[in-house]
Amino acid sequence: MKNLKKVLILRFSSYGDVAIMIPVLRVLSVNYPNVTFKVASRSKMAPLFDEFSNIQFVPIDLENDYKGLTGIFKLFSFLKKLKPTHVADLHFVIRTRILSFLFKIRGYKVRSIDKGRIEKIALTRFKNKLFEPLTPTVFRYSKVFTSLGFPIDVTKAQIPHKNILPKKMEDIFYGDKKKWIGIAPFAKHQGKVYPHDLMQKVIALLQRDYNILLLGSGVNEIKLLEVWSKAYLNCYNGSKELNFREQLMVLPFLDLMISMDSLNGHLASNAGIPVITVWGQTHPYAGFAPFGQPEKYSVCVDREKFPGIPTSIYGNHIPKGYEDAFRTIDPLTIIEKAIQIIEKNI
């Protein structure tokens, strides 16, 4: 028992960055059943880890319990009580760097992610841009565990198939024989949001032959989804009727997801369904494309007209003259690709 290994994993960030961890954790949980893995992250992330029996989720309330510099030391004291033998910093920001340093000087084995910041700057700058694909984030995560002594091949990740549809959705999903398409038209930053008027055209046409599950979060997003669900017969506002855990339960039953460069693309990919991602100011070359999805499922802005793309990693920067870059993506391009994929013609 003295040699029992316990790995503490740190990632206090957005849903999407945490969701990208799931394929890595799937392989770790299978390859190292006798190792205890504990993921420390924000409390709201808990449903992402429901599928695991041997990976423990440790909810952390950074805003209330561990605020500021003193909060970091308080958080370290709490995490130390978990008695880890190894620490994997998958975030590498000031908070986790301090935590990692505190663990290191006390003799713990610690490894941190290499985010490739220099390469990302080269990819997103206008002058002397180096437009080439960077290492996907999921492989950057994997490298951390390999360096800790837990080598894995993330391409061997298996998708669980213990799928249970929420009871409230049974009549809706099985009410007819139409296939289901999830559409998540929002993202945190405007530079990643396909214009609503164009997305409405995508929805209006696809809902003629398919059922559409609309997904979003926040009051304004849900209001717009409600407008669309009332305007179109075959649209269902999933964000109004389903909580986050229930949305995760529904995803495996979809036939396709259409998403921005955002959380739902990763969640759908984790659920094992095909995903079309629509890219604006960002680009799949930055390493954040949904894991395991073919490159041809990414729909990107015309770089001949907007060679500065990607202009940022997070979509939070829209340079002057690039406000309409998204409009180089015709709704018909998304519609045709969706039909090809769902009817298995691609």
Side-chain angles (χ1 to χ4, degrees):
M1 293 298 292
K2 290 183 179 179
N3 295 324
L4 183 65
K5 295 178 180 179
K6 299 179 181 179
V7 181
L8 174 63
I9 302 168
L10 306 176
R11 182 80 219 204
F12 310 113
S13 55
S14 66
Y15 275 113
D17 291 326
V18 176
I20 294 173
M21 291 167 47
I22 299 302
V24 176
L25 296 180
R26 284 172 175 167
V27 180
L28 286 170
S29 67
V30 172
N31 288 12
Y32 303 98
N34 296 321
V35 176
T36 299
F37 295 95
K38 296 188 177 185
V39 180
S41 190
R42 297 176 186 271
S43 303
K44 62 185 180 181
M45 306 293 179
L48 292 173
F49 303 92
D50 285 351
E51 68 177 77
F52 298 105
S53 59
N54 60 341
I55 293 179
Q56 301 172 21
F57 179 71
V58 182
I60 303 295
D61 187 343
L62 295 173
E63 285 70 28
N64 295 307
D65 297 337
Y66 304 106
K67 193 174 182 179
L69 184 59
T70 56
I72 295 177
F73 287 94
K74 182 181 176 183
L75 178 56
F76 171 70
S77 296
F78 169 74
L79 294 174
K80 191 171 62 168
K81 292 176 182 177
L82 300 177
K83 298 181 178 179
T85 56
H86 301 67
V87 178
D89 175 10
L90 302 187
H91 201 171
F92 202 64
V93 292
I94 292 176
R95 178 183 286 110
T96 60
R97 290 171 75 174
I98 294 174
L99 290 171
S100 295
F101 173 74
L102 293 172
F103 275 112
K104 277 183 181 179
I105 62 175
R106 284 163 176 79
Y108 295 85
K109 189 170 184 179
V110 181
R111 294 292 184 272
S112 300
I113 186 173
D114 174 7
K115 288 186 170 181
R117 287 193 172 104
I118 295 176
E119 297 99 310
K120 287 175 180 175
I121 290 172
L123 177 65
T124 55
R125 67 194 179 199
F126 266 57
K127 189 176 181 181
N128 298 321
K129 179 186 288 290
L130 292 179
F131 186 68
E132 56 186 27
L134 306 184
T135 301
T137 300
V138 67
F139 291 109
R140 294 183 186 275
Y141 286 165
S142 300
K143 188 175 180 179
V144 175
F145 293 103
T146 297
S147 64
L148 276 175
F150 305 99
I152 58 171
D153 180 356
V154 72
T155 64
K156 304 295 185 182
Q158 296 183 353
I159 297 169
H161 293 290
K162 298 177 182 177
N163 302 321
I164 302 174
L165 190 67
K167 281 196 171 296
K168 68 171 76 173
M169 296 297 293
E170 289 180 356
D171 290 341
I172 295 169
F173 259 76
Y174 302 133
D176 58 43
K177 294 183 179 180
K178 289 190 180 75
K179 293 183 178 180
W180 278 85
I181 300 175
I183 297 183
F186 306 108
K188 181 178 180 181
H189 298 293
Q190 197 59 37
K192 296 200 293 187
V193 180
Y194 192 55
H196 293 161
D197 61 311
L198 300 184
M199 182 56 76
Q200 183 168 334
K201 293 180 180 179
V202 173
I203 293 169
L205 196 145
L206 287 177
Q207 65 86 36
R208 294 178 184 176
D209 298 308
Y210 307 101
N211 288 318
I212 307 295
L213 179 69
L214 299 170
L215 296 170
S217 62
V219 176
N220 292 333
E221 293 180 9
I222 294 175
K223 282 183 179 178
L224 179 57
L225 297 186
E226 188 66 4
V227 170
W228 284 339
S229 65
K230 289 181 177 178
Y232 301 109
L233 181 64
N234 295 318
C235 287
Y236 182 85
N237 187 352
S239 292
K240 181 182 177 183
E241 305 297 337
L242 302 169
N243 61 36
F244 183 46
R245 181 169 274 109
E246 290 170 332
Q247 290 178 33
L248 291 176
M249 294 171 67
V250 168
L251 289 179
F253 294 88
L254 299 178
D255 297 283
L256 173 69
M257 171 65 77
I258 300 174
S259 172
M260 305 299 98
D261 167 21
S262 60
L263 169 66
N264 281 287
H266 301 296
L267 297 180
S269 187
N270 289 344
I273 66 171
V275 181
I276 293 175
T277 39
V278 186
W279 302 76
Q281 301 295 326
T282 58
H283 193 278
Y285 274 16
F288 292 98
F291 179 64
Q293 298 293 326
E295 186 177 344
K296 60 188 175 184
Y297 288 7
S298 296
V299 181
C300 303
V301 163
D302 186 343
R303 291 194 68 256
E304 289 189 6
K305 295 181 179 178
F306 295 95
I309 298 293
T311 62
S312 68
I313 297 298
Y314 304 109
N316 55 341
H317 176 57
I318 304 177
K320 185 177 181 180
Y322 275 63
E323 296 84 357
D324 291 330
F326 248 134
R327 293 188 177 276
T328 62
I329 300 176
D330 193 307
L332 282 176
T333 300
I334 301 172
I335 292 165
E336 289 171 358
K337 190 174 290 290
I339 294 172
Q340 288 174 341
I341 293 172
I342 207 168
E343 300 300 338
K344 299 183 175 15
N345 293 322
I346 187 173

